[in-house]
Amino acid sequence: MSDAGDALARVHRDEWARVVATLARRFGSLDIAEDAAAEAFAVAVERWPTDGVPPNPGGWLTTTAIRRALDRLRREQRRDDKHREAMMLTDDSPPDPIGAVDDDRLQLVFTCCHPALAMEARVALTLRMLGGLSVDEIARAFLVQEGAMARRITRAKDKISAAGVPYRVPSAADLPERVGGVLAVLYLAFNEGYLATGVESDPVRADLTAEAIRLTRLVRDLLPDDGEVAGLLALMLLTEARRPARVSADGALVPLAEQDRALWDASLIAEGHRLVRERLESGESPGRYQVLAAINAVHTDAPVADETDWWQVVALYDRLTLIDPSPVVALNRAIAVAELDGPDAALALIGPFAAALDGYHAFHAARADLLRRLGRDDEARAAYDRAIALAGNRAETEYLTRRRDQLG
Amino acid sequence: MQYLVSVIDDRTNSGTAEEMREITAFNERLVARGHWVFAGGLAAPSTSTVIDNRGERPLLTDGPFIESKEHIAGLWIIEAPDLDVALALMTEGSRACNRRLELRPFLPPPTAVDRSEPS
């Protein structure tokens, strides 16, 4: 690809959210912001290969996008509310002061994650407006038709404008309760990147995980004392650190125990461990993300898989069960128990959750692995078949198929 | 912006004296803070009449336009700068009247559109 092409791809990744956020604040409309940002990138695609990449690509895109938006507003002047428009055309006021962090993108995060929107709409909007993902990409990630996803996003944007969802970071008093929803959205976006569900998409979407981490860092700058924000950031960093070892050269998923730990990112692990220690030292009772981060800290602490402190992992899962007694937590706890007490004990633990987890590929994959270790090959094969049928990602299917075919 | 707040109920004339006192106190706070536009309770859905004069002659039908287990027992119209303020107010309102509420924005007033027509 040409230099301009590379620059465009990089600038899109780095600057999309900033351009959209600046425009959204200035014009108070997500639609205008998104359309104008898309137009500005289209102009760049046309011009940069011949004119060269401008010295400040982000600034160039923002200026171009603002001009496009103003042109569009002027064209539509007759049909629109003149008063509101006059405000838009002349508004050069600085953004509202929002405390420690003054970032348009953070306002966009809180707008997209407003509790008046359905959870699935919040995730889709955040990926669209902040992650710059196409509607098609988001639709594939969530296994729905593109048209249905487009309608979901349009409906959410319409509600934001018609219902008067404010474009700002909530006040200090409202922050703690609003931040929980934001963290849930960022975690979903991260997980989608770490194990993309689209059959055709890359198994790992580094752009998405990077974006989720960047946004979580922004939220942490805003709320440095919030334990769950720190916990989620640590959890993401410790998970992201293992990404280079997670898919083999031939595209199959490599499970934690078989990963080449030399490929793990030591600096991300160090940062994640630092955050986990900081939370432990706070003496505050940890929430879900902090416990999950601590579990990942134990895993990333072991130089080889055999030296994993499984006793501590199980103890942490016990703690997590108190916070979140869900079947998925029970499954993960059982997988850890298998390392301490053997696959028989784990199978007994997950038995009661078979019905609740029947549609979840990881349940069948875990069960297949336990049965394989017990030499119950026929049952293992059936469980692998079920897991393969449910898995949404090629790398995962490859791995499960290989495992199944290794059975006697 | 203005919002319509519908009070959701599955019974009629079910307000207690205690609830009425709470609602009155809440209404006074709305007035004091400049959010009050209008409020009122509605008689039972069975007292309503549907009017249809789209055809040759007006047609009147006894009863509400939709039959459902729940209905609108009353309403507020409030003025608030944005949804967060409206939601905070009516979170308080739901507590005061001891019922679920539906908050819905009005479309922007049509005057601006009229002004933009050539005179």
Side-chain angles (χ1 to χ4, degrees):
Chain A
M1 193 180 263
S2 64
D3 286 352
D6 286 345
L8 264 165
R10 194 177 57 246
V11 169
H12 190 271
R13 190 173 61 236
D14 295 346
E15 302 290 344
W16 169 267
R18 204 187 299 270
V19 176
V20 171
T22 308
L23 274 278
R25 179 182 57 74
R26 165 130 186 202
F27 295 99
S29 157
L30 294 185
D31 266 330
I32 292 175
E34 193 189 338
D35 289 350
E39 275 187 55
F41 277 95
V43 176
V45 168
E46 209 173 282
R47 292 207 194 142
W48 291 7
T50 45
D51 297 0
V53 178
N56 175 2
W60 187 95
L61 286 164
T62 306
T63 309
T64 307
I66 288 174
R67 284 209 196 104
R68 293 280 158 147
L70 290 176
D71 285 349
R72 182 176 137 182
L73 284 169
R74 288 198 183 98
R75 276 199 308 275
E76 292 176 357
Q77 206 157 15
R78 287 199 175 273
R79 284 191 284 129
D80 277 337
D81 180 339
K82 274 189 175 167
H83 175 68
R84 210 184 72 179
E85 206 174 308
M87 299 257 300
M88 284 183 183
L89 295 176
T90 55
D91 177 27
D92 287 318
S93 62
D96 298 332
I98 53 164
V101 175
D102 195 2
D103 190 305
D104 287 339
R105 286 169 299 178
L106 205 50
Q107 302 196 20
L108 193 56
V109 172
F110 277 93
T111 307
C112 292
C113 299
H114 197 277
L117 302 174
M119 194 59 180
E120 55 188 19
R122 289 186 225 169
V123 180
L125 255 193
T126 304
L127 293 178
R128 177 88 196 100
M129 305 306 293
L130 286 131
L133 266 68
S134 70
V135 174
D136 176 48
E137 284 173 313
I138 302 169
R140 272 190 284 129
F142 292 95
L143 304 174
V144 301
Q145 295 292 313
E146 188 178 349
M149 183 53 78
R151 281 192 296 280
R152 189 183 292 176
I153 292 173
T154 303
R155 189 176 166 275
K157 284 198 287 195
D158 287 350
K159 180 163 182 182
I160 286 173
S161 93
V165 171
Y167 189 70
R168 63 157 181 258
V169 175
S171 65
D174 295 328
L175 253 184
E177 95 188 44
R178 283 287 301 279
V179 84
V182 170
L183 296 183
V185 168
L186 294 177
Y187 189 39
L188 281 170
F190 179 86
N191 279 333
E192 187 44 47
Y194 197 65
L195 187 57
T197 42
V199 178
E200 297 300 319
S201 77
D202 287 335
V204 177
R205 297 281 310 270
D207 52 342
L208 260 186
T209 56
E211 188 65 20
I213 289 174
R214 204 178 53 73
L215 294 170
T216 308
R217 283 191 194 282
L218 278 178
V219 178
R220 179 162 159 77
D221 285 345
L222 183 77
L223 296 166
D225 299 327
D226 187 302
E228 280 294 85
V229 177
L232 180 61
L233 179 58
L235 171 59
M236 286 181 178
L237 294 173
L238 294 172
T239 311
E240 176 77 357
R242 306 198 299 266
R243 187 167 55 77
R246 206 151 157 278
V247 179
S248 66
D250 54 351
L253 208 63
V254 183
L256 184 56
E258 294 164 26
Q259 288 175 11
D260 177 358
R261 299 189 175 211
L263 296 176
W264 288 359
D265 186 320
S267 70
L268 290 181
I269 290 178
E271 190 186 354
H273 283 191
R274 204 159 50 238
L275 283 165
V276 170
R277 267 197 310 278
E278 188 185 303
R279 291 312 309 156
L280 283 174
E281 284 159 10
S282 78
E284 287 167 36
S285 180
R288 176 163 173 260
Y289 298 121
Q290 291 168 78
V291 177
L292 284 168
I295 290 168
N296 278 275
V298 177
H299 284 303
T300 45
D301 214 21
V304 291
D306 283 349
E307 288 177 36
T308 305
D309 184 348
W310 289 108
W311 184 87
Q312 217 187 127
V313 173
V314 172
L316 286 164
Y317 272 116
D318 288 343
R319 181 139 208 179
L320 188 59
T321 306
L322 296 176
I323 301 168
D324 175 16
S326 70
V328 172
V329 171
L331 172 66
N332 290 324
R333 181 179 176 279
I335 294 169
V337 168
E339 302 300 324
L340 282 184
D341 301 334
D344 258 332
L347 271 181
L349 284 173
I350 62 175
F353 299 100
L357 293 171
D358 189 48
Y360 183 45
H361 73 275
F363 168 72
H364 297 284
R367 205 168 151 268
D369 187 55
L370 296 169
L371 290 165
R372 178 188 62 80
R373 283 149 75 178
L374 288 166
R376 290 156 66 177
D377 285 0
D378 288 346
E379 290 168 89
R381 188 172 294 111
Y384 276 124
D385 284 341
R386 182 96 176 102
I388 290 164
L390 289 167
N393 172 301
R394 203 177 45 232
E396 226 175 354
T397 316
E398 297 265 324
Y399 165 74
L400 292 167
T401 307
R402 188 174 307 169
R403 264 294 155 90
R404 183 193 60 192
D405 296 346
Q406 283 165 356
L407 289 170
Chain B
M1 319 184 35
Q2 290 194 340
Y3 297 87
L4 170 68
V5 181
S6 305
V7 181
I8 305 164
D9 206 344
D10 55 4
R11 295 164 300 164
T12 48
N13 298 319
S14 58
T16 65
E18 170 65 16
E19 282 164 7
M20 287 317 296
R21 271 196 301 281
E22 291 290 328
I23 292 168
T24 304
F26 174 67
N27 284 339
E28 281 164 4
R29 290 198 292 279
L30 284 181
V31 173
R33 294 186 227 156
H35 297 295
W36 169 277
V37 178
F38 177 82
L42 293 172
S46 59
T47 63
S48 59
T49 311
V50 173
I51 305 149
D52 184 356
N53 193 20
R54 294 171 301 175
E56 282 181 10
R57 64 182 61 135
L59 191 66
L60 303 183
T61 319
D62 179 29
F65 81 101
I66 191 165
E67 293 289 353
S68 69
K69 196 170 156 290
E70 291 176 310
H71 59 266
I72 296 170
L75 58 96
W76 272 281
I77 296 172
I78 59 165
E79 176 72 49
D82 61 49
L83 185 67
D84 281 355
V85 175
L87 289 174
L89 285 171
M90 294 329 284
T91 302
E92 215 181 297
S94 168
R95 174 71 60 175
C97 72
N98 193 30
R99 275 164 186 77
R100 294 196 299 143
L101 303 177
E102 182 201 87
L103 182 102
R104 193 165 160 192
F106 279 91
L107 287 171
T111 48
V113 176
D114 294 342
R115 256 190 280 122
S116 68
E117 295 296 321
S119 50

